[in-house]
Amino acid sequence: MTTVIIGAGIIGTSTAYYHAQSQTSSIHLIESSPQLFASASGYAAGFLARDWFAPASMSLGRLSFDLHKKLAEEHKGYETWGYGRSTATSLAETIGGSEEEDWLGEGTSRAKAAKRIAENDDSRPVWLAPRHGKPDIIDKGVGTAQVDPFQLCQFLLSECKSRGVILHQPAKATGLTRDSTGALSCIRVQNTQTSEEYDIPCTRLVLAAGAWTSQVFQRLFPDSKLQIPVSSLAGHSLLLRSSHWPPRSSDALQPNINATHRGVNGSASGLKTPPPCHALFTSDPEHSYSPELFTRLPAGHIYIAGLNGPYPLPSLATERVIDPKAIAILKGTAQHLLGKDTFEVEREALCWRPVTGRGVPIVGPASNKHGEGEQGVWIAAGHGPWGISMSLGTGYVVAEMVEGRQTSADLKGLRL
C-alpha cells in the first residue's frame, strides 16, 4: 500500500508525520512550489487556540491543541519552533460569546469566537504604546499558544524524511491510473523544472494542497461529479522587530521550569515554557479591518496581519505580487499600536488561505451524501485562519482514516 499526499504544507506534512509513525509502506509528498512553505504554512501568524471554533470543528480543534502541546513536550518545541503559551487580549472591543462561523469572511475579529473573557489583570503587552488603555484578557494562556509556523513545518518535514517519506518538489500530479476494480494504482508526476514525467504507485491519495486543492481535484478527476468547495482568501502581513520586545531581562527569555501544561490526555506535564507571548485583537474603523498582532519567542518578532483582500490565486505561491497600499495600511496600524520609530519591518508578505463557504474545513473522504465521489481519496483543506492551529489534529485523523482506524475527533460536520 502506497500513500500519496499532494501538498507539502503544514496539513500535508502533519499527515505524513503521523502516518509514517504507524506505517512501513511508502509515503510520498508532492509539492508544486519551488519554495517550500511559500503560502499560509510559512507566512501565517502561528496562533493556536483550543476552543475558539464552531461546534462542527470544536472536537478537531481541541485534539489539535493538545497534540501541539504533546509534540512540544517531546521535541523541545520552544527552542525548535517557538512553542509557548500566549495571553490573548482584545483592545477597545467587546467580545461576546458568538459562535459565528464566518467571521473571517465578514472581516471581523477571530476573537469573536472566544467563549469567555478571563478576569482582567496586569498582563499588558510591554510593546503596546503607553497611550492605549489596558486590553481585556480573553485567555491567560491556558487555551491559547503561539508557534513559528515556518519552523514547525521544517521540523515536521525533517522528521518525515527521517522516517522514509519521499518528497517530490517542485512537481505536480498530472494524472491517475486505476486497476480493473476501479481502485487507484498509480499517479503520474511531472518534475516542473525538468519536465520529466514518471509514475509512482498510489493506492491511497490525500489532497491537502491548501487554496489549490479544488484545482488539483479537477485536474486529476475531470469527469467527477463531486465538487470541492475550497476557495482562497489572500492576506498581507508584516514581521516586525520592536525595541520593546522581547523584554530586556535575560530571565524573560529562559524557559520557566516551574510552569506546567496539560498533556494530550489532560495530564500535567513538565513542559518548560517561557513567559507568555501576547495575541492582540483590535479594530481599525478607518480601513474597515480587524488587525491582529502576535508576539513570538525566542526569536523576538511581532507579527501583524488581518488585512484581507480579493487578490487572485496564482498558479504558484511564489508568484505573489505584494500590494504596497496594503503594506502601507499595516505599517500605519503598527505605528499607531506600537508607537512611531519603535520597530523595523523585517518581512512583507502575502499568502492565500484556503476557505470554505460554511467557515469550517473539509476533512474526510472525497465523497458526499449522494454517493458521488472517488474511492481511496481523502480531502484535508479549507481551514481558513486555523490551519496552523488545526494542523496536527488534521494530520492525525487523516492518517487514522487512511489506515482504516476510528478517528480521534468527531468529523461528522466536516465532511463533504
Side-chain angles (χ1 to χ4, degrees):
M1 302 286 283
T2 301
T3 302
V4 174
I5 302 167
I6 298 181
I10 197 164
I11 302 297
T13 53
S14 294
T15 302
Y17 174 81
Y18 288 112
H19 191 31
Q21 290 184 347
S22 58
Q23 293 290 302
T24 57
S25 56
S26 297
I27 302 172
H28 297 260
L29 278 166
I30 300 176
E31 174 55 50
S32 61
S33 174
Q35 175 189 333
L36 288 169
F37 320 126
S39 192
S41 295
Y43 292 96
F47 178 68
L48 312 179
R50 192 173 192 275
D51 57 4
W52 291 30
F53 310 110
S57 53
M58 186 70 74
S59 177
L60 179 62
R62 288 173 174 170
L63 170 67
S64 195
F65 188 81
D66 293 344
L67 287 171
H68 275 286
K69 290 183 180 181
K70 185 174 187 291
L71 191 71
E73 292 169 7
E74 296 173 345
H75 297 281
K76 298 181 178 179
Y78 172 69
E79 294 89 346
T80 310
W81 61 86
Y83 175 89
R85 60 194 179 97
S86 178
T87 299
T89 67
S90 172
L91 181 64
E93 183 177 41
T94 301
I95 307 301
S98 172
E99 293 184 351
E100 182 70 47
E101 297 188 9
D102 195 27
W103 57 266
L104 181 66
E106 294 181 351
T108 56
S109 172
R110 84 171 79 199
K112 285 182 65 177
K115 298 300 180 185
R116 57 186 176 276
I117 298 177
E119 182 180 352
N120 213 335
D121 61 12
D122 294 327
S123 300
R124 189 182 194 278
V126 296
W127 42 266
L128 186 63
R131 67 174 174 269
H132 297 291
K134 183 187 296 185
D136 292 324
I137 306 299
I138 304 172
D139 191 297
K140 297 182 180 181
V142 176
T144 47
Q146 181 67 43
V147 299
D148 182 320
F150 182 78
Q151 292 178 349
L152 176 56
C153 287
Q154 287 183 313
F155 167 81
L156 291 170
L157 183 57
S158 176
E159 289 292 303
C160 287
K161 289 181 176 180
S162 72
R163 290 182 168 92
V165 175
I166 301 170
L167 174 65
H168 305 260
Q169 184 253 347
K172 67 177 181 179
T174 60
L176 290 167
T177 301
R178 295 184 181 273
D179 62 21
S180 58
T181 68
L184 295 175
S185 60
C186 71
I187 190 167
R188 171 71 77 169
V189 179
Q190 181 187 57
N191 183 308
T192 55
Q193 284 187 331
T194 65
S195 297
E196 174 193 3
E197 291 191 333
Y198 55 94
D199 293 331
I200 57 177
C202 176
T203 51
R204 301 174 294 197
L205 178 64
V206 177
L207 301 186
W212 292 265
T213 299
S214 61
Q215 294 182 7
V216 172
F217 184 85
Q218 291 170 7
R219 182 169 70 244
L220 294 179
F221 303 98
D223 299 324
S224 179
K225 296 180 180 179
L226 192 66
Q227 298 293 316
I228 309 300
V230 175
S231 57
S232 65
L233 181 64
H236 286 81
S237 65
L238 298 176
L239 197 64
L240 311 176
R241 181 77 67 179
S242 170
S243 57
H244 300 297
W245 179 262
R248 295 187 182 277
S249 170
S250 59
D251 293 339
L253 297 181
Q254 299 301 315
N256 179 1
I257 62 175
N258 295 317
T260 61
H261 275 270
R262 296 181 65 81
V264 66
N265 294 317
S267 59
S269 70
L271 175 64
K272 297 180 179 180
T273 59
C277 294
H278 280 84
L280 180 76
F281 304 96
T282 186
S283 58
D284 182 344
E286 179 182 355
H287 298 101
S288 301
Y289 87 109
S290 298
E292 302 182 343
L293 287 82
F294 306 92
T295 52
R296 297 174 179 173
L297 286 174
H301 288 122
I302 298 178
Y303 175 101
I304 178 171
L307 188 62
N308 306 314
Y311 302 95
L313 185 69
S315 298
L316 297 170
T318 50
E319 297 172 354
R320 69 177 68 86
V321 178
I322 293 176
D323 184 353
K325 293 181 180 179
I327 295 300
I329 292 173
L330 287 173
K331 288 180 178 178
T333 301
Q335 286 188 357
H336 174 70
L337 293 172
L338 277 65
K340 189 176 181 181
D341 301 326
T342 64
F343 64 89
E344 295 180 354
V345 177
E346 289 201 356
R347 188 188 72 196
E348 302 174 354
L350 170 64
C351 70
W352 287 264
R353 286 163 295 190
V355 296
T356 65
R358 57 185 180 175
V360 297
I362 299 170
V363 182
S367 59
N368 60 24
K369 62 183 180 181
H370 304 296
E372 300 168 332
E374 303 299 331
Q375 179 183 353
V377 183
W378 290 266
I379 307 294
H383 294 74
W386 297 114
I388 308 302
S389 190
M390 291 190 181
S391 59
L392 299 188
T394 299
Y396 196 88
V397 297
V398 171
E400 290 176 324
M401 287 188 288
V402 168
E403 296 162 18
R405 298 188 283 126
Q406 180 70 32
T407 59
S408 298
D410 181 0
L411 306 177
K412 291 192 296 292
L414 306 182
R415 299 181 185 275
L416 285 169

